[in-house]
Amino acid sequence: MSNEAASKAAPAIATAAVLVESEQLPKDTKLIKGYDFDNGVDYNALLSSYLTTGFQASSFGRAVEIVNHMRAWRLSDEPLPEDADPEDPENSFESRNNVKCKVFMGYTSNLVSSGIRDTIRYLVKNRFVDVLVSTAGGVEEDFIKCLAPTYLGDFHLKGQEMRSKGLNRIGNLIVPNDNYCKFENWLMPILDQMLKEQKEQGTLWTPSSVIHRLGKEINHPESIYYWAYKNNIPVYCPAITDGSLGDMLYFHSYRNPGLVIDVVQDIRAVNSEAAYAKKTGMIILGGGLIKHHICNANLMRNGADYAVFINTAQEFDGSDAGARPDEAVSWGKIRADAESVKVYADVSLVFPLLVAQTFAK
């Protein structure tokens, strides 16, 4: 080739690098396509389009699919074991069709402080979930909201000024300190009565039985735990002392000492919820204790069958909150063949939309 011809041809190395031939993708590979607003505003179609939008929108769409799968599953979907007695009433189609996936839901305290509390209450009121796990704050904030409101503030309010006014900030929410005083006035007589029942009747209190009792005592239809009490949905709180509830228990131990709350019975109970379930699903909003407690319970059955994590944590620091579902697979907390997804997003933005596309339909 002449120098002139060579100068008109792109270098072979560049051509080979840029014009690499592609392999054909599987025929069922989804095409990227967003919502077309020329069709007007159809929120169901808009949210359905997230699955093929890409990035976290597609993770959200996958979460919708997984939640709907866990809701739809019945034991009758599975083949009857070869050694099963077909004459046994428990093996009838009707009996097996009544066995559903057990849904564990966990959430952090800030979500109960926020308006997500109302979304959680809806799920509990309508028995869409079977087991709840939260922090002390996730319990007490629900009761406190029945006694006094939480207000919208701003992330940039000055802590020193707010402290001088007796105002507490949770992100851009404001909780007057008086709310916690009202909580103490409501809670202390109940703790007195619980101690009396412990002494006179031998009642063994656990975090879950305490929450069950408080749900009964609050008797308020806006409360998550009122509906958990009414529908007999267990609520586990392994760190029940880590919050205002702990403060009240601390003060009560001086004022009227002797109340005992046994955490061992609850770890047996929550692990058994998973161990004896035919199928389990996890919906975990946030990270930390609530995430690990549910995942670890599902270790007792060699992992959950469905898992949806929603939080903003990253995995580079090795935190449990940041861990993707695949890390839980390595521990036996999610099954290798499970359907799972992590949505990297603020729960307050996406969880109501997830419920709109699943439980509320």
Side-chain angles (χ1 to χ4, degrees), residues 12-30:
I13 189 172
T15 303
V18 174
L19 303 179
V20 175
E21 291 189 9
S22 302
E23 292 185 2
Q24 291 296 312
L25 293 170
K27 291 183 178 179
D28 60 351
T29 302
K30 291 182 172 63

PDB file of all heavy atoms in Angstrom, residues 12-30:
ATOM      1  N   ALA A  12      -5.376  -0.113  11.616  1.00  0.00           N
ATOM      2  CA  ALA A  12      -6.047  -1.397  11.833  1.00  0.00           C
ATOM      3  C   ALA A  12      -6.330  -1.644  13.302  1.00  0.00           C
ATOM      4  O   ALA A  12      -7.374  -2.189  13.679  1.00  0.00           O
ATOM      5  CB  ALA A  12      -5.194  -2.521  11.248  1.00  0.00           C
ATOM      6  N   ILE A  13      -5.412  -1.236  14.185  1.00  0.00           N
ATOM      7  CA  ILE A  13      -5.603  -1.465  15.614  1.00  0.00           C
ATOM      8  C   ILE A  13      -6.816  -0.693  16.148  1.00  0.00           C
ATOM      9  O   ILE A  13      -7.566  -1.169  16.997  1.00  0.00           O
ATOM     10  CB  ILE A  13      -4.326  -1.099  16.398  1.00  0.00           C
ATOM     11  CG1 ILE A  13      -4.455  -1.550  17.863  1.00  0.00           C
ATOM     12  CG2 ILE A  13      -4.038   0.402  16.320  1.00  0.00           C
ATOM     13  CD1 ILE A  13      -3.165  -1.410  18.645  1.00  0.00           C
ATOM     14  N   ALA A  14      -7.012   0.525  15.602  1.00  0.00           N
ATOM     15  CA  ALA A  14      -8.163   1.329  16.024  1.00  0.00           C
ATOM     16  C   ALA A  14      -9.460   0.729  15.499  1.00  0.00           C
ATOM     17  O   ALA A  14     -10.473   0.660  16.205  1.00  0.00           O
ATOM     18  CB  ALA A  14      -8.003   2.761  15.529  1.00  0.00           C
ATOM     19  N   THR A  15      -9.435   0.299  14.222  1.00  0.00           N
ATOM     20  CA  THR A  15     -10.622  -0.327  13.639  1.00  0.00           C
ATOM     21  C   THR A  15     -11.021  -1.566  14.416  1.00  0.00           C
ATOM     22  O   THR A  15     -12.206  -1.783  14.740  1.00  0.00           O
ATOM     23  CB  THR A  15     -10.362  -0.701  12.170  1.00  0.00           C
ATOM     24  OG1 THR A  15      -9.979   0.471  11.467  1.00  0.00           O
ATOM     25  CG2 THR A  15     -11.595  -1.306  11.535  1.00  0.00           C
ATOM     26  N   ALA A  16     -10.038  -2.398  14.739  1.00  0.00           N
ATOM     27  CA  ALA A  16     -10.327  -3.632  15.474  1.00  0.00           C
ATOM     28  C   ALA A  16     -10.868  -3.337  16.865  1.00  0.00           C
ATOM     29  O   ALA A  16     -11.733  -4.050  17.380  1.00  0.00           O
ATOM     30  CB  ALA A  16      -9.060  -4.486  15.568  1.00  0.00           C
ATOM     31  N   ALA A  17     -10.361  -2.262  17.489  1.00  0.00           N
ATOM     32  CA  ALA A  17     -10.786  -1.927  18.847  1.00  0.00           C
ATOM     33  C   ALA A  17     -12.203  -1.360  18.888  1.00  0.00           C
ATOM     34  O   ALA A  17     -13.001  -1.681  19.761  1.00  0.00           O
ATOM     35  CB  ALA A  17      -9.799  -0.936  19.463  1.00  0.00           C
ATOM     36  N   VAL A  18     -12.511  -0.503  17.920  1.00  0.00           N
ATOM     37  CA  VAL A  18     -13.799   0.209  17.931  1.00  0.00           C
ATOM     38  C   VAL A  18     -14.918  -0.620  17.318  1.00  0.00           C
ATOM     39  O   VAL A  18     -16.060  -0.607  17.790  1.00  0.00           O
ATOM     40  CB  VAL A  18     -13.665   1.563  17.206  1.00  0.00           C
ATOM     41  CG1 VAL A  18     -15.014   2.253  17.068  1.00  0.00           C
ATOM     42  CG2 VAL A  18     -12.677   2.456  17.951  1.00  0.00           C
ATOM     43  N   LEU A  19     -14.622  -1.351  16.259  1.00  0.00           N
ATOM     44  CA  LEU A  19     -15.668  -2.052  15.506  1.00  0.00           C
ATOM     45  C   LEU A  19     -15.751  -3.533  15.880  1.00  0.00           C
ATOM     46  O   LEU A  19     -15.883  -4.404  15.034  1.00  0.00           O
ATOM     47  CB  LEU A  19     -15.411  -1.885  14.002  1.00  0.00           C
ATOM     48  CG  LEU A  19     -15.328  -0.429  13.516  1.00  0.00           C
ATOM     49  CD1 LEU A  19     -15.041  -0.375  12.030  1.00  0.00           C
ATOM     50  CD2 LEU A  19     -16.620   0.312  13.848  1.00  0.00           C
ATOM     51  N   VAL A  20     -15.672  -3.800  17.192  1.00  0.00           N
ATOM     52  CA  VAL A  20     -15.816  -5.180  17.676  1.00  0.00           C
ATOM     53  C   VAL A  20     -17.221  -5.672  17.371  1.00  0.00           C
ATOM     54  O   VAL A  20     -18.214  -4.979  17.629  1.00  0.00           O
ATOM     55  CB  VAL A  20     -15.550  -5.253  19.192  1.00  0.00           C
ATOM     56  CG1 VAL A  20     -15.818  -6.661  19.722  1.00  0.00           C
ATOM     57  CG2 VAL A  20     -14.119  -4.834  19.501  1.00  0.00           C
ATOM     58  N   GLU A  21     -17.329  -6.851  16.829  1.00  0.00           N
ATOM     59  CA  GLU A  21     -18.634  -7.424  16.516  1.00  0.00           C
ATOM     60  C   GLU A  21     -19.323  -7.902  17.788  1.00  0.00           C
ATOM     61  O   GLU A  21     -18.676  -8.433  18.688  1.00  0.00           O
ATOM     62  CB  GLU A  21     -18.486  -8.574  15.512  1.00  0.00           C
ATOM     63  CG  GLU A  21     -18.057  -8.130  14.127  1.00  0.00           C
ATOM     64  CD  GLU A  21     -18.137  -9.258  13.106  1.00  0.00           C
ATOM     65  OE1 GLU A  21     -18.683 -10.327  13.461  1.00  0.00           O
ATOM     66  OE2 GLU A  21     -17.661  -9.068  11.994  1.00  0.00           O
ATOM     67  N   SER A  22     -20.638  -7.737  17.863  1.00  0.00           N
ATOM     68  CA  SER A  22     -21.423  -8.124  19.037  1.00  0.00           C
ATOM     69  C   SER A  22     -22.010  -9.513  18.869  1.00  0.00           C
ATOM     70  O   SER A  22     -22.415  -9.901  17.770  1.00  0.00           O
ATOM     71  CB  SER A  22     -22.572  -7.138  19.262  1.00  0.00           C
ATOM     72  OG  SER A  22     -22.087  -5.830  19.436  1.00  0.00           O
ATOM     73  N   GLU A  23     -22.083 -10.217  19.983  1.00  0.00           N
ATOM     74  CA  GLU A  23     -22.851 -11.463  20.001  1.00  0.00           C
ATOM     75  C   GLU A  23     -24.320 -11.108  20.138  1.00  0.00           C
ATOM     76  O   GLU A  23     -24.687 -10.061  20.688  1.00  0.00           O
ATOM     77  CB  GLU A  23     -22.425 -12.344  21.176  1.00  0.00           C
ATOM     78  CG  GLU A  23     -21.021 -12.899  21.061  1.00  0.00           C
ATOM     79  CD  GLU A  23     -20.698 -13.858  22.206  1.00  0.00           C
ATOM     80  OE1 GLU A  23     -21.596 -14.092  23.050  1.00  0.00           O
ATOM     81  OE2 GLU A  23     -19.566 -14.369  22.241  1.00  0.00           O
ATOM     82  N   GLN A  24     -25.178 -11.982  19.659  1.00  0.00           N
ATOM     83  CA  GLN A  24     -26.619 -11.764  19.781  1.00  0.00           C
ATOM     84  C   GLN A  24     -27.066 -12.004  21.213  1.00  0.00           C
ATOM     85  O   GLN A  24     -26.687 -12.991  21.836  1.00  0.00           O
ATOM     86  CB  GLN A  24     -27.377 -12.697  18.833  1.00  0.00           C
ATOM     87  CG  GLN A  24     -27.201 -12.368  17.359  1.00  0.00           C
ATOM     88  CD  GLN A  24     -27.773 -11.003  17.020  1.00  0.00           C
ATOM     89  OE1 GLN A  24     -28.896 -10.673  17.395  1.00  0.00           O
ATOM     90  NE2 GLN A  24     -26.991 -10.207  16.296  1.00  0.00           N
ATOM     91  N   LEU A  25     -27.868 -11.087  21.749  1.00  0.00           N
ATOM     92  CA  LEU A  25     -28.432 -11.262  23.089  1.00  0.00           C
ATOM     93  C   LEU A  25     -29.592 -12.255  23.029  1.00  0.00           C
ATOM     94  O   LEU A  25     -30.212 -12.441  21.974  1.00  0.00           O
ATOM     95  CB  LEU A  25     -28.934  -9.925  23.627  1.00  0.00           C
ATOM     96  CG  LEU A  25     -27.846  -8.881  23.921  1.00  0.00           C
ATOM     97  CD1 LEU A  25     -28.482  -7.535  24.209  1.00  0.00           C
ATOM     98  CD2 LEU A  25     -26.989  -9.316  25.099  1.00  0.00           C
ATOM     99  N   PRO A  26     -29.917 -12.887  24.154  1.00  0.00           N
ATOM    100  CA  PRO A  26     -31.079 -13.787  24.173  1.00  0.00           C
ATOM    101  C   PRO A  26     -32.334 -13.076  23.695  1.00  0.00           C
ATOM    102  O   PRO A  26     -32.508 -11.861  23.921  1.00  0.00           O
ATOM    103  CB  PRO A  26     -31.189 -14.185  25.648  1.00  0.00           C
ATOM    104  CG  PRO A  26     -29.792 -14.025  26.184  1.00  0.00           C
ATOM    105  CD  PRO A  26     -29.209 -12.855  25.447  1.00  0.00           C
ATOM    106  N   LYS A  27     -33.222 -13.813  23.050  1.00  0.00           N
ATOM    107  CA  LYS A  27     -34.413 -13.215  22.452  1.00  0.00           C
ATOM    108  C   LYS A  27     -35.340 -12.563  23.477  1.00  0.00           C
ATOM    109  O   LYS A  27     -36.099 -11.653  23.147  1.00  0.00           O
ATOM    110  CB  LYS A  27     -35.178 -14.272  21.645  1.00  0.00           C
ATOM    111  CG  LYS A  27     -34.441 -14.730  20.390  1.00  0.00           C
ATOM    112  CD  LYS A  27     -35.273 -15.716  19.604  1.00  0.00           C
ATOM    113  CE  LYS A  27     -34.541 -16.142  18.316  1.00  0.00           C
ATOM    114  NZ  LYS A  27     -35.335 -17.122  17.535  1.00  0.00           N
ATOM    115  N   ASP A  28     -35.293 -13.067  24.712  1.00  0.00           N
ATOM    116  CA  ASP A  28     -36.208 -12.521  25.726  1.00  0.00           C
ATOM    117  C   ASP A  28     -35.605 -11.343  26.499  1.00  0.00           C
ATOM    118  O   ASP A  28     -36.174 -10.879  27.485  1.00  0.00           O
ATOM    119  CB  ASP A  28     -36.633 -13.611  26.708  1.00  0.00           C
ATOM    120  CG  ASP A  28     -35.447 -14.229  27.456  1.00  0.00           C
ATOM    121  OD1 ASP A  28     -34.303 -13.928  27.092  1.00  0.00           O
ATOM    122  OD2 ASP A  28     -35.682 -15.020  28.395  1.00  0.00           O
ATOM    123  N   THR A  29     -34.456 -10.834  26.071  1.00  0.00           N
ATOM    124  CA  THR A  29     -33.837  -9.671  26.730  1.00  0.00           C
ATOM    125  C   THR A  29     -34.730  -8.447  26.551  1.00  0.00           C
ATOM    126  O   THR A  29     -35.159  -8.132  25.433  1.00  0.00           O
ATOM    127  CB  THR A  29     -32.452  -9.376  26.143  1.00  0.00           C
ATOM    128  OG1 THR A  29     -31.621 -10.530  26.295  1.00  0.00           O
ATOM    129  CG2 THR A  29     -31.798  -8.201  26.859  1.00  0.00           C
ATOM    130  N   LYS A  30     -35.018  -7.769  27.654  1.00  0.00           N
ATOM    131  CA  LYS A  30     -35.906  -6.606  27.605  1.00  0.00           C
ATOM    132  C   LYS A  30     -35.231  -5.430  26.900  1.00  0.00           C
ATOM    133  O   LYS A  30     -34.025  -5.221  27.025  1.00  0.00           O
ATOM    134  CB  LYS A  30     -36.336  -6.198  29.012  1.00  0.00           C
ATOM    135  CG  LYS A  30     -37.277  -7.186  29.696  1.00  0.00           C
ATOM    136  CD  LYS A  30     -37.687  -6.673  31.061  1.00  0.00           C
ATOM    137  CE  LYS A  30     -38.776  -7.561  31.672  1.00  0.00           C
ATOM    138  NZ  LYS A  30     -38.319  -8.933  31.909  1.00  0.00           N
TER     139      LYS A  30
END
